[in-house]
Amino acid sequence: MLCEGNKPVGYIILTVGFSFEFHGHDAFIDELYVDAAYRRRGYGLKAVSFIEKKARERGVNAIHLEVDRGNNLAFELYRRAGYEDHDRFLMTKWVSR
């Protein structure tokens, strides 16, 4: 949870998996949300930094994420945090339907 004092203003979710390509544990930032009234105040960068620290402590080698095309604010946030575009497509197939 991201909080200002006792007030929740957002959240970040990290899921952990395993990848031969990334030499062991890898993780995915599944969600990062900051309430619109609190955006552009550093909460996103702080959340990403915190989650990276916790991932390293747990032996995670790489963190992945996805950004919707056109979401330039999120793209810039992740770029400033050191994330790179690897020119790949995320593909999904729902198996529970």
Side-chain angles (χ1 to χ4, degrees):
M1 292 297 298
L2 309 175
C3 296
E4 184 168 287
N6 292 329
K7 179 182 170 118
V9 297
Y11 59 87
I12 190 167
I13 299 171
L14 186 75
T15 60
V16 178
F18 188 91
S19 169
F20 287 110
E21 180 180 358
F22 293 99
H23 311 284
H25 290 289
D26 67 341
F28 197 96
I29 295 177
D30 188 51
E31 294 239 2
L32 171 57
Y33 172 78
V34 178
D35 184 273
Y38 293 88
R39 291 180 188 159
R40 304 191 61 89
R41 295 188 188 182
Y43 286 103
L45 279 175
K46 287 178 187 174
V48 170
S49 178
F50 173 81
I51 216 80
E52 288 171 353
K53 179 180 180 288
K54 292 301 180 183
R56 271 192 300 281
E57 290 172 1
R58 288 168 173 75
V60 170
N61 295 322
I63 298 176
H64 317 282
L65 54 86
E66 63 180 312
V67 180
D68 290 335
R69 288 182 177 97
N71 190 344
N72 296 328
L73 288 176
F75 181 83
E76 281 302 310
L77 164 76
Y78 295 129
R79 187 192 60 72
R80 281 181 293 154
Y83 289 79
E84 300 174 9
D85 180 1
H86 287 275
D87 202 25
R88 294 183 177 187
F89 294 103
L90 175 68
M91 299 174 70
T92 304
K93 179 178 182 180
W94 290 88
V95 295
S96 61
R97 292 184 183 175

